[in-house]
Amino acid sequence: QVQLVESGGGSVQAGDSLRLSCAASGSTYSTNRVAWFRQAPGKEREGVASVYRGGGATFYADSVKGRFTISQDKVKDTVYLQMNSLKPEDTAMYYCATGSTYGGDGLAGQVYNYWGQGTQVTVSS
């Protein structure tokens, strides 16, 4: 089993920045990829960014390219999502997820079998 705990959400103004954290524990050796997803009320879940554990390729949704950066601290087994130039449309519950998956952009939720509880991000104009 793997446990994921997100933190760092909050309420900010448009143009501000936030950094989300996803701390992993448990049998993380069984996973090779971590991703951030978000879901706004009444909307489908959207893959935001993904990264392979231990470094490697990163992938981003077009809606966040150039504004969001996914990174990781291997010692702390924590993945971060730096969000800059936030927009009201970024308002959502943000979740991190992990699993064992290869290929593609890793932004499809069904490939992950461990999920955190989420952290709310609210951006006002």
Side-chain angles (χ1 to χ4, degrees):
Q1 291 291 327
V2 176
Q3 294 77 42
L4 300 174
V5 178
E6 302 98 331
S7 61
S11 296
V12 297
Q13 298 286 322
D16 286 350
S17 298
L18 278 175
R19 189 178 79 158
L20 306 183
S21 299
C22 173
S25 61
S27 305
T28 58
Y29 57 83
S30 66
T31 65
N32 75 322
R33 205 167 193 176
V34 181
W36 284 96
F37 292 82
R38 65 186 182 186
Q39 188 165 22
K43 294 188 177 181
E44 292 187 358
R45 183 178 59 197
E46 176 188 20
V48 174
S50 71
V51 63
Y52 283 103
R53 287 188 177 277
T58 57
F59 297 87
Y60 298 91
D62 288 343
S63 58
V64 305
K65 278 180 183 176
R67 299 188 298 122
F68 291 11
T69 303
I70 189 170
S71 63
Q72 60 187 311
D73 183 324
K74 301 172 190 177
V75 174
K76 295 182 178 179
D77 209 348
T78 297
V79 172
Y80 304 99
L81 185 68
Q82 178 67 43
M83 306 186 296
N84 298 330
S85 302
L86 283 163
K87 304 175 181 180
E89 50 263 45
D90 294 318
T91 295
M93 184 71 80
Y94 284 72
Y95 302 89
C96 66
T98 191
S100 182
T101 174
Y102 297 89
D105 58 15
L107 299 182
Q110 60 266 30
V111 304
Y112 299 99
N113 46 356
Y114 300 106
W115 293 78
Q117 83 290 348
T119 185
Q120 178 68 38
V121 172
T122 303
V123 184
S124 57
S125 57

